[in-house]
Amino acid sequence: MTENEMLALAKAAGFDAACVVDTADIVFDPAFRPYCAANYCGQYGANYTCPPDCGEPEAMKQRITAHKKALVLQTLWEIPDWHDTARIKNSKSSHNAGELKVMKILREAGILGFIVGSSNCSLCSPCGAQTGKPCPHPDERWSCMSAYCIYVKALAERCGMMYDNGPGKVAFFGMYVFD
């Protein structure tokens, strides 16, 4: 599958924008990890794909840079109130569902890789991290951009995508990392 076919696939899956980048061009900043530790999302230590269980920032960076390319995916949402957590959660869930769809198609085409979501993995509720059970989906689960300490604004700029879309409009980002 060519890069142009991947971009067309992303569009067909409902993404507003997509871009293929070299993983070497992704900016990582471990200074973002304390935002995870602040536990605003409530998943710190409660989800295998979130810190501290997902791995240290350098190991997360190496997981991505061990591959050559990333298909960066963006969705745009009308969310007038940042305090509308239900709407934000639903929007991120839709974004991640689109990423899973893209991953399935790319894997079926022989392009092996993994996704980086716009939020933590939500395949199981509750996550086995809360019950002591192993993850039943190790090949499908994903960590979010924050857990990887990706400087998303720099990535958006690299892709020619808007990061800040003005009042009431929110952009969510994710990736499919592959060779």
Side-chain angles (χ1 to χ4, degrees), residues 5-31:
E5 290 170 325
M6 288 182 179
L7 299 176
L9 169 62
K11 187 74 170 171
F15 289 95
D16 294 293
C19 170
V20 176
V21 298
D22 292 335
T23 58
D25 294 335
I26 298 172
V27 178
F28 297 85
D29 187 346

mmCIF file with all atom_site columns, all heavy atoms in Angstrom, residues 5-31:
data_model
loop_
_atom_site.group_PDB
_atom_site.id
_atom_site.type_symbol
_atom_site.label_atom_id
_atom_site.label_alt_id
_atom_site.label_comp_id
_atom_site.label_asym_id
_atom_site.label_entity_id
_atom_site.label_seq_id
_atom_site.pdbx_PDB_ins_code
_atom_site.Cartn_x
_atom_site.Cartn_y
_atom_site.Cartn_z
_atom_site.occupancy
_atom_site.B_iso_or_equiv
_atom_site.pdbx_formal_charge
_atom_site.auth_seq_id
_atom_site.auth_comp_id
_atom_site.auth_asym_id
_atom_site.auth_atom_id
_atom_site.pdbx_PDB_model_num
ATOM 1   N N   . GLU A 1 5  ? -2.315  5.824  -0.775 1.00 0.00 ? 5  GLU A N   1
ATOM 2   C CA  . GLU A 1 5  ? -3.412  4.911  -0.443 1.00 0.00 ? 5  GLU A CA  1
ATOM 3   C C   . GLU A 1 5  ? -3.707  4.933  1.056  1.00 0.00 ? 5  GLU A C   1
ATOM 4   O O   . GLU A 1 5  ? -4.867  4.849  1.471  1.00 0.00 ? 5  GLU A O   1
ATOM 5   C CB  . GLU A 1 5  ? -3.091  3.495  -0.918 1.00 0.00 ? 5  GLU A CB  1
ATOM 6   C CG  . GLU A 1 5  ? -3.114  3.351  -2.431 1.00 0.00 ? 5  GLU A CG  1
ATOM 7   C CD  . GLU A 1 5  ? -2.567  2.018  -2.913 1.00 0.00 ? 5  GLU A CD  1
ATOM 8   O OE1 . GLU A 1 5  ? -1.618  1.477  -2.306 1.00 0.00 ? 5  GLU A OE1 1
ATOM 9   O OE2 . GLU A 1 5  ? -3.108  1.525  -3.928 1.00 0.00 ? 5  GLU A OE2 1
ATOM 10  N N   . MET A 1 6  ? -2.674  5.076  1.863  1.00 0.00 ? 6  MET A N   1
ATOM 11  C CA  . MET A 1 6  ? -2.877  5.188  3.318  1.00 0.00 ? 6  MET A CA  1
ATOM 12  C C   . MET A 1 6  ? -3.638  6.460  3.660  1.00 0.00 ? 6  MET A C   1
ATOM 13  O O   . MET A 1 6  ? -4.534  6.446  4.510  1.00 0.00 ? 6  MET A O   1
ATOM 14  C CB  . MET A 1 6  ? -1.537  5.179  4.055  1.00 0.00 ? 6  MET A CB  1
ATOM 15  C CG  . MET A 1 6  ? -0.857  3.859  4.091  1.00 0.00 ? 6  MET A CG  1
ATOM 16  S SD  . MET A 1 6  ? 0.667   4.016  5.053  1.00 0.00 ? 6  MET A SD  1
ATOM 17  C CE  . MET A 1 6  ? 1.250   2.351  4.983  1.00 0.00 ? 6  MET A CE  1
ATOM 18  N N   . LEU A 1 7  ? -3.283  7.551  3.007  1.00 0.00 ? 7  LEU A N   1
ATOM 19  C CA  . LEU A 1 7  ? -3.980  8.819  3.257  1.00 0.00 ? 7  LEU A CA  1
ATOM 20  C C   . LEU A 1 7  ? -5.436  8.730  2.835  1.00 0.00 ? 7  LEU A C   1
ATOM 21  O O   . LEU A 1 7  ? -6.332  9.230  3.527  1.00 0.00 ? 7  LEU A O   1
ATOM 22  C CB  . LEU A 1 7  ? -3.264  9.962  2.541  1.00 0.00 ? 7  LEU A CB  1
ATOM 23  C CG  . LEU A 1 7  ? -1.819  10.217 2.977  1.00 0.00 ? 7  LEU A CG  1
ATOM 24  C CD1 . LEU A 1 7  ? -1.190  11.312 2.119  1.00 0.00 ? 7  LEU A CD1 1
ATOM 25  C CD2 . LEU A 1 7  ? -1.721  10.555 4.458  1.00 0.00 ? 7  LEU A CD2 1
ATOM 26  N N   . ALA A 1 8  ? -5.693  8.056  1.717  1.00 0.00 ? 8  ALA A N   1
ATOM 27  C CA  . ALA A 1 8  ? -7.070  7.854  1.262  1.00 0.00 ? 8  ALA A CA  1
ATOM 28  C C   . ALA A 1 8  ? -7.831  6.963  2.239  1.00 0.00 ? 8  ALA A C   1
ATOM 29  O O   . ALA A 1 8  ? -9.012  7.209  2.525  1.00 0.00 ? 8  ALA A O   1
ATOM 30  C CB  . ALA A 1 8  ? -7.089  7.255  -0.143 1.00 0.00 ? 8  ALA A CB  1
ATOM 31  N N   . LEU A 1 9  ? -7.172  5.945  2.769  1.00 0.00 ? 9  LEU A N   1
ATOM 32  C CA  . LEU A 1 9  ? -7.784  5.072  3.772  1.00 0.00 ? 9  LEU A CA  1
ATOM 33  C C   . LEU A 1 9  ? -8.169  5.878  5.006  1.00 0.00 ? 9  LEU A C   1
ATOM 34  O O   . LEU A 1 9  ? -9.271  5.721  5.547  1.00 0.00 ? 9  LEU A O   1
ATOM 35  C CB  . LEU A 1 9  ? -6.821  3.945  4.139  1.00 0.00 ? 9  LEU A CB  1
ATOM 36  C CG  . LEU A 1 9  ? -7.179  3.089  5.348  1.00 0.00 ? 9  LEU A CG  1
ATOM 37  C CD1 . LEU A 1 9  ? -8.497  2.349  5.131  1.00 0.00 ? 9  LEU A CD1 1
ATOM 38  C CD2 . LEU A 1 9  ? -6.048  2.111  5.666  1.00 0.00 ? 9  LEU A CD2 1
ATOM 39  N N   . ALA A 1 10 ? -7.274  6.748  5.453  1.00 0.00 ? 10 ALA A N   1
ATOM 40  C CA  . ALA A 1 10 ? -7.557  7.582  6.627  1.00 0.00 ? 10 ALA A CA  1
ATOM 41  C C   . ALA A 1 10 ? -8.772  8.465  6.384  1.00 0.00 ? 10 ALA A C   1
ATOM 42  O O   . ALA A 1 10 ? -9.644  8.592  7.247  1.00 0.00 ? 10 ALA A O   1
ATOM 43  C CB  . ALA A 1 10 ? -6.334  8.429  6.978  1.00 0.00 ? 10 ALA A CB  1
ATOM 44  N N   . LYS A 1 11 ? -8.838  9.056  5.219  1.00 0.00 ? 11 LYS A N   1
ATOM 45  C CA  . LYS A 1 11 ? -9.991  9.909  4.870  1.00 0.00 ? 11 LYS A CA  1
ATOM 46  C C   . LYS A 1 11 ? -11.275 9.086  4.871  1.00 0.00 ? 11 LYS A C   1
ATOM 47  O O   . LYS A 1 11 ? -12.296 9.507  5.440  1.00 0.00 ? 11 LYS A O   1
ATOM 48  C CB  . LYS A 1 11 ? -9.755  10.550 3.506  1.00 0.00 ? 11 LYS A CB  1
ATOM 49  C CG  . LYS A 1 11 ? -10.764 11.570 3.103  1.00 0.00 ? 11 LYS A CG  1
ATOM 50  C CD  . LYS A 1 11 ? -10.568 12.848 3.882  1.00 0.00 ? 11 LYS A CD  1
ATOM 51  C CE  . LYS A 1 11 ? -11.419 13.950 3.291  1.00 0.00 ? 11 LYS A CE  1
ATOM 52  N NZ  . LYS A 1 11 ? -11.422 15.134 4.121  1.00 0.00 ? 11 LYS A NZ  1
ATOM 53  N N   . ALA A 1 12 ? -11.236 7.895  4.267  1.00 0.00 ? 12 ALA A N   1
ATOM 54  C CA  . ALA A 1 12 ? -12.410 7.021  4.214  1.00 0.00 ? 12 ALA A CA  1
ATOM 55  C C   . ALA A 1 12 ? -12.832 6.560  5.607  1.00 0.00 ? 12 ALA A C   1
ATOM 56  O O   . ALA A 1 12 ? -14.015 6.301  5.842  1.00 0.00 ? 12 ALA A O   1
ATOM 57  C CB  . ALA A 1 12 ? -12.135 5.815  3.315  1.00 0.00 ? 12 ALA A CB  1
ATOM 58  N N   . ALA A 1 13 ? -11.880 6.474  6.535  1.00 0.00 ? 13 ALA A N   1
ATOM 59  C CA  . ALA A 1 13 ? -12.178 6.051  7.907  1.00 0.00 ? 13 ALA A CA  1
ATOM 60  C C   . ALA A 1 13 ? -12.704 7.205  8.759  1.00 0.00 ? 13 ALA A C   1
ATOM 61  O O   . ALA A 1 13 ? -13.001 7.010  9.933  1.00 0.00 ? 13 ALA A O   1
ATOM 62  C CB  . ALA A 1 13 ? -10.938 5.446  8.548  1.00 0.00 ? 13 ALA A CB  1
ATOM 63  N N   . GLY A 1 14 ? -12.793 8.404  8.168  1.00 0.00 ? 14 GLY A N   1
ATOM 64  C CA  . GLY A 1 14 ? -13.386 9.533  8.885  1.00 0.00 ? 14 GLY A CA  1
ATOM 65  C C   . GLY A 1 14 ? -12.417 10.527 9.482  1.00 0.00 ? 14 GLY A C   1
ATOM 66  O O   . GLY A 1 14 ? -12.826 11.436 10.212 1.00 0.00 ? 14 GLY A O   1
ATOM 67  N N   . PHE A 1 15 ? -11.131 10.402 9.172  1.00 0.00 ? 15 PHE A N   1
ATOM 68  C CA  . PHE A 1 15 ? -10.173 11.362 9.712  1.00 0.00 ? 15 PHE A CA  1
ATOM 69  C C   . PHE A 1 15 ? -10.200 12.643 8.884  1.00 0.00 ? 15 PHE A C   1
ATOM 70  O O   . PHE A 1 15 ? -10.345 12.598 7.667  1.00 0.00 ? 15 PHE A O   1
ATOM 71  C CB  . PHE A 1 15 ? -8.777  10.741 9.770  1.00 0.00 ? 15 PHE A CB  1
ATOM 72  C CG  . PHE A 1 15 ? -8.689  9.683  10.832 1.00 0.00 ? 15 PHE A CG  1
ATOM 73  C CD1 . PHE A 1 15 ? -8.879  8.352  10.520 1.00 0.00 ? 15 PHE A CD1 1
ATOM 74  C CD2 . PHE A 1 15 ? -8.485  10.031 12.153 1.00 0.00 ? 15 PHE A CD2 1
ATOM 75  C CE1 . PHE A 1 15 ? -8.848  7.372  11.491 1.00 0.00 ? 15 PHE A CE1 1
ATOM 76  C CE2 . PHE A 1 15 ? -8.454  9.066  13.145 1.00 0.00 ? 15 PHE A CE2 1
ATOM 77  C CZ  . PHE A 1 15 ? -8.638  7.733  12.821 1.00 0.00 ? 15 PHE A CZ  1
ATOM 78  N N   . ASP A 1 16 ? -10.074 13.760 9.562  1.00 0.00 ? 16 ASP A N   1
ATOM 79  C CA  . ASP A 1 16 ? -10.103 15.059 8.888  1.00 0.00 ? 16 ASP A CA  1
ATOM 80  C C   . ASP A 1 16 ? -8.790  15.373 8.197  1.00 0.00 ? 16 ASP A C   1
ATOM 81  O O   . ASP A 1 16 ? -8.769  16.116 7.217  1.00 0.00 ? 16 ASP A O   1
ATOM 82  C CB  . ASP A 1 16 ? -10.444 16.161 9.900  1.00 0.00 ? 16 ASP A CB  1
ATOM 83  C CG  . ASP A 1 16 ? -11.860 16.006 10.425 1.00 0.00 ? 16 ASP A CG  1
ATOM 84  O OD1 . ASP A 1 16 ? -12.798 16.188 9.626  1.00 0.00 ? 16 ASP A OD1 1
ATOM 85  O OD2 . ASP A 1 16 ? -12.025 15.682 11.616 1.00 0.00 ? 16 ASP A OD2 1
ATOM 86  N N   . ALA A 1 17 ? -7.702  14.823 8.722  1.00 0.00 ? 17 ALA A N   1
ATOM 87  C CA  . ALA A 1 17 ? -6.389  15.037 8.113  1.00 0.00 ? 17 ALA A CA  1
ATOM 88  C C   . ALA A 1 17 ? -5.502  13.852 8.443  1.00 0.00 ? 17 ALA A C   1
ATOM 89  O O   . ALA A 1 17 ? -5.694  13.178 9.462  1.00 0.00 ? 17 ALA A O   1
ATOM 90  C CB  . ALA A 1 17 ? -5.757  16.335 8.623  1.00 0.00 ? 17 ALA A CB  1
ATOM 91  N N   . ALA A 1 18 ? -4.533  13.607 7.569  1.00 0.00 ? 18 ALA A N   1
ATOM 92  C CA  . ALA A 1 18 ? -3.566  12.534 7.779  1.00 0.00 ? 18 ALA A CA  1
ATOM 93  C C   . ALA A 1 18 ? -2.265  12.909 7.097  1.00 0.00 ? 18 ALA A C   1
ATOM 94  O O   . ALA A 1 18 ? -2.253  13.701 6.145  1.00 0.00 ? 18 ALA A O   1
ATOM 95  C CB  . ALA A 1 18 ? -4.102  11.213 7.228  1.00 0.00 ? 18 ALA A CB  1
ATOM 96  N N   . CYS A 1 19 ? -1.184  12.345 7.586  1.00 0.00 ? 19 CYS A N   1
ATOM 97  C CA  . CYS A 1 19 ? 0.144   12.661 7.075  1.00 0.00 ? 19 CYS A CA  1
ATOM 98  C C   . CYS A 1 19 ? 1.056   11.494 7.425  1.00 0.00 ? 19 CYS A C   1
ATOM 99  O O   . CYS A 1 19 ? 0.916   10.903 8.492  1.00 0.00 ? 19 CYS A O   1
ATOM 100 C CB  . CYS A 1 19 ? 0.629   13.944 7.750  1.00 0.00 ? 19 CYS A CB  1
ATOM 101 S SG  . CYS A 1 19 ? 2.347   14.385 7.491  1.00 0.00 ? 19 CYS A SG  1
ATOM 102 N N   . VAL A 1 20 ? 1.987   11.154 6.554  1.00 0.00 ? 20 VAL A N   1
ATOM 103 C CA  . VAL A 1 20 ? 2.987   10.136 6.859  1.00 0.00 ? 20 VAL A CA  1
ATOM 104 C C   . VAL A 1 20 ? 4.300   10.852 7.159  1.00 0.00 ? 20 VAL A C   1
ATOM 105 O O   . VAL A 1 20 ? 4.735   11.714 6.385  1.00 0.00 ? 20 VAL A O   1
ATOM 106 C CB  . VAL A 1 20 ? 3.150   9.132  5.701  1.00 0.00 ? 20 VAL A CB  1
ATOM 107 C CG1 . VAL A 1 20 ? 4.267   8.130  6.007  1.00 0.00 ? 20 VAL A CG1 1
ATOM 108 C CG2 . VAL A 1 20 ? 1.840   8.399  5.436  1.00 0.00 ? 20 VAL A CG2 1
ATOM 109 N N   . VAL A 1 21 ? 4.906   10.516 8.299  1.00 0.00 ? 21 VAL A N   1
ATOM 110 C CA  . VAL A 1 21 ? 6.175   11.117 8.707  1.00 0.00 ? 21 VAL A CA  1
ATOM 111 C C   . VAL A 1 21 ? 7.176   10.026 9.028  1.00 0.00 ? 21 VAL A C   1
ATOM 112 O O   . VAL A 1 21 ? 6.808   8.896  9.333  1.00 0.00 ? 21 VAL A O   1
ATOM 113 C CB  . VAL A 1 21 ? 6.018   12.041 9.940  1.00 0.00 ? 21 VAL A CB  1
ATOM 114 C CG1 . VAL A 1 21 ? 5.097   13.209 9.652  1.00 0.00 ? 21 VAL A CG1 1
ATOM 115 C CG2 . VAL A 1 21 ? 5.567   11.269 11.168 1.00 0.00 ? 21 VAL A CG2 1
ATOM 116 N N   . ASP A 1 22 ? 8.440   10.388 8.982  1.00 0.00 ? 22 ASP A N   1
ATOM 117 C CA  . ASP A 1 22 ? 9.494   9.521  9.478  1.00 0.00 ? 22 ASP A CA  1
ATOM 118 C C   . ASP A 1 22 ? 9.473   9.612  11.006 1.00 0.00 ? 22 ASP A C   1
ATOM 119 O O   . ASP A 1 22 ? 9.366   10.717 11.557 1.00 0.00 ? 22 ASP A O   1
ATOM 120 C CB  . ASP A 1 22 ? 10.867  9.964  8.977  1.00 0.00 ? 22 ASP A CB  1
ATOM 121 C CG  . ASP A 1 22 ? 11.040  9.773  7.481  1.00 0.00 ? 22 ASP A CG  1
ATOM 122 O OD1 . ASP A 1 22 ? 10.347  8.905  6.903  1.00 0.00 ? 22 ASP A OD1 1
ATOM 123 O OD2 . ASP A 1 22 ? 11.869  10.502 6.898  1.00 0.00 ? 22 ASP A OD2 1
ATOM 124 N N   . THR A 1 23 ? 9.587   8.486  11.673 1.00 0.00 ? 23 THR A N   1
ATOM 125 C CA  . THR A 1 23 ? 9.560   8.530  13.139 1.00 0.00 ? 23 THR A CA  1
ATOM 126 C C   . THR A 1 23 ? 10.737  9.331  13.698 1.00 0.00 ? 23 THR A C   1
ATOM 127 O O   . THR A 1 23 ? 10.642  9.885  14.786 1.00 0.00 ? 23 THR A O   1
ATOM 128 C CB  . THR A 1 23 ? 9.536   7.122  13.747 1.00 0.00 ? 23 THR A CB  1
ATOM 129 O OG1 . THR A 1 23 ? 10.685  6.401  13.297 1.00 0.00 ? 23 THR A OG1 1
ATOM 130 C CG2 . THR A 1 23 ? 8.266   6.383  13.373 1.00 0.00 ? 23 THR A CG2 1
ATOM 131 N N   . ALA A 1 24 ? 11.823  9.418  12.936 1.00 0.00 ? 24 ALA A N   1
ATOM 132 C CA  . ALA A 1 24 ? 12.973  10.213 13.374 1.00 0.00 ? 24 ALA A CA  1
ATOM 133 C C   . ALA A 1 24 ? 12.621  11.692 13.483 1.00 0.00 ? 24 ALA A C   1
ATOM 134 O O   . ALA A 1 24 ? 13.311  12.445 14.184 1.00 0.00 ? 24 ALA A O   1
ATOM 135 C CB  . ALA A 1 24 ? 14.140  10.013 12.412 1.00 0.00 ? 24 ALA A CB  1
ATOM 136 N N   . ASP A 1 25 ? 11.555  12.124 12.824 1.00 0.00 ? 25 ASP A N   1
ATOM 137 C CA  . ASP A 1 25 ? 11.144  13.532 12.853 1.00 0.00 ? 25 ASP A CA  1
ATOM 138 C C   . ASP A 1 25 ? 10.156  13.851 13.977 1.00 0.00 ? 25 ASP A C   1
ATOM 139 O O   . ASP A 1 25 ? 9.762   15.006 14.142 1.00 0.00 ? 25 ASP A O   1
ATOM 140 C CB  . ASP A 1 25 ? 10.513  13.922 11.515 1.00 0.00 ? 25 ASP A CB  1
ATOM 141 C CG  . ASP A 1 25 ? 11.516  13.896 10.375 1.00 0.00 ? 25 ASP A CG  1
ATOM 142 O OD1 . ASP A 1 25 ? 12.731  14.049 10.642 1.00 0.00 ? 25 ASP A OD1 1
ATOM 143 O OD2 . ASP A 1 25 ? 11.094  13.723 9.218  1.00 0.00 ? 25 ASP A OD2 1
ATOM 144 N N   . ILE A 1 26 ? 9.757   12.846 14.740 1.00 0.00 ? 26 ILE A N   1
ATOM 145 C CA  . ILE A 1 26 ? 8.819   13.073 15.848 1.00 0.00 ? 26 ILE A CA  1
ATOM 146 C C   . ILE A 1 26 ? 9.591   13.611 17.045 1.00 0.00 ? 26 ILE A C   1
ATOM 147 O O   . ILE A 1 26 ? 10.634  13.083 17.422 1.00 0.00 ? 26 ILE A O   1
ATOM 148 C CB  . ILE A 1 26 ? 8.077   11.770 16.216 1.00 0.00 ? 26 ILE A CB  1
ATOM 149 C CG1 . ILE A 1 26 ? 7.244   11.291 15.022 1.00 0.00 ? 26 ILE A CG1 1
ATOM 150 C CG2 . ILE A 1 26 ? 7.199   11.980 17.443 1.00 0.00 ? 26 ILE A CG2 1
ATOM 151 C CD1 . ILE A 1 26 ? 6.624   9.917  15.208 1.00 0.00 ? 26 ILE A CD1 1
ATOM 152 N N   . VAL A 1 27 ? 9.075   14.688 17.638 1.00 0.00 ? 27 VAL A N   1
ATOM 153 C CA  . VAL A 1 27 ? 9.713   15.302 18.801 1.00 0.00 ? 27 VAL A CA  1
ATOM 154 C C   . VAL A 1 27 ? 9.119   14.689 20.067 1.00 0.00 ? 27 VAL A C   1
ATOM 155 O O   . VAL A 1 27 ? 7.895   14.679 20.246 1.00 0.00 ? 27 VAL A O   1
ATOM 156 C CB  . VAL A 1 27 ? 9.511   16.836 18.799 1.00 0.00 ? 27 VAL A CB  1
ATOM 157 C CG1 . VAL A 1 27 ? 10.123  17.459 20.034 1.00 0.00 ? 27 VAL A CG1 1
ATOM 158 C CG2 . VAL A 1 27 ? 10.081  17.454 17.525 1.00 0.00 ? 27 VAL A CG2 1
ATOM 159 N N   . PHE A 1 28 ? 9.992   14.191 20.925 1.00 0.00 ? 28 PHE A N   1
ATOM 160 C CA  . PHE A 1 28 ? 9.603   13.619 22.214 1.00 0.00 ? 28 PHE A CA  1
ATOM 161 C C   . PHE A 1 28 ? 10.125  14.538 23.312 1.00 0.00 ? 28 PHE A C   1
ATOM 162 O O   . PHE A 1 28 ? 11.217  15.087 23.195 1.00 0.00 ? 28 PHE A O   1
ATOM 163 C CB  . PHE A 1 28 ? 10.204  12.231 22.397 1.00 0.00 ? 28 PHE A CB  1
ATOM 164 C CG  . PHE A 1 28 ? 9.722   11.222 21.394 1.00 0.00 ? 28 PHE A CG  1
ATOM 165 C CD1 . PHE A 1 28 ? 10.337  11.106 20.156 1.00 0.00 ? 28 PHE A CD1 1
ATOM 166 C CD2 . PHE A 1 28 ? 8.654   10.395 21.684 1.00 0.00 ? 28 PHE A CD2 1
ATOM 167 C CE1 . PHE A 1 28 ? 9.905   10.171 19.225 1.00 0.00 ? 28 PHE A CE1 1
ATOM 168 C CE2 . PHE A 1 28 ? 8.207   9.462  20.760 1.00 0.00 ? 28 PHE A CE2 1
ATOM 169 C CZ  . PHE A 1 28 ? 8.830   9.357  19.526 1.00 0.00 ? 28 PHE A CZ  1
ATOM 170 N N   . ASP A 1 29 ? 9.363   14.700 24.376 1.00 0.00 ? 29 ASP A N   1
ATOM 171 C CA  . ASP A 1 29 ? 9.787   15.536 25.483 1.00 0.00 ? 29 ASP A CA  1
ATOM 172 C C   . ASP A 1 29 ? 9.328   14.907 26.796 1.00 0.00 ? 29 ASP A C   1
ATOM 173 O O   . ASP A 1 29 ? 8.137   14.936 27.121 1.00 0.00 ? 29 ASP A O   1
ATOM 174 C CB  . ASP A 1 29 ? 9.215   16.940 25.347 1.00 0.00 ? 29 ASP A CB  1
ATOM 175 C CG  . ASP A 1 29 ? 9.761   17.905 26.379 1.00 0.00 ? 29 ASP A CG  1
ATOM 176 O OD1 . ASP A 1 29 ? 10.384  17.465 27.371 1.00 0.00 ? 29 ASP A OD1 1
ATOM 177 O OD2 . ASP A 1 29 ? 9.555   19.119 26.207 1.00 0.00 ? 29 ASP A OD2 1
ATOM 178 N N   . PRO A 1 30 ? 10.262  14.316 27.559 1.00 0.00 ? 30 PRO A N   1
ATOM 179 C CA  . PRO A 1 30 ? 9.882   13.662 28.805 1.00 0.00 ? 30 PRO A CA  1
ATOM 180 C C   . PRO A 1 30 ? 9.269   14.617 29.835 1.00 0.00 ? 30 PRO A C   1
ATOM 181 O O   . PRO A 1 30 ? 8.681   14.174 30.814 1.00 0.00 ? 30 PRO A O   1
ATOM 182 C CB  . PRO A 1 30 ? 11.180  13.043 29.318 1.00 0.00 ? 30 PRO A CB  1
ATOM 183 C CG  . PRO A 1 30 ? 12.272  13.666 28.549 1.00 0.00 ? 30 PRO A CG  1
ATOM 184 C CD  . PRO A 1 30 ? 11.687  14.204 27.277 1.00 0.00 ? 30 PRO A CD  1
ATOM 185 N N   . ALA A 1 31 ? 9.376   15.924 29.598 1.00 0.00 ? 31 ALA A N   1
ATOM 186 C CA  . ALA A 1 31 ? 8.754   16.894 30.505 1.00 0.00 ? 31 ALA A CA  1
ATOM 187 C C   . ALA A 1 31 ? 7.225   16.777 30.499 1.00 0.00 ? 31 ALA A C   1
ATOM 188 O O   . ALA A 1 31 ? 6.558   17.302 31.392 1.00 0.00 ? 31 ALA A O   1
ATOM 189 C CB  . ALA A 1 31 ? 9.177   18.315 30.128 1.00 0.00 ? 31 ALA A CB  1
#
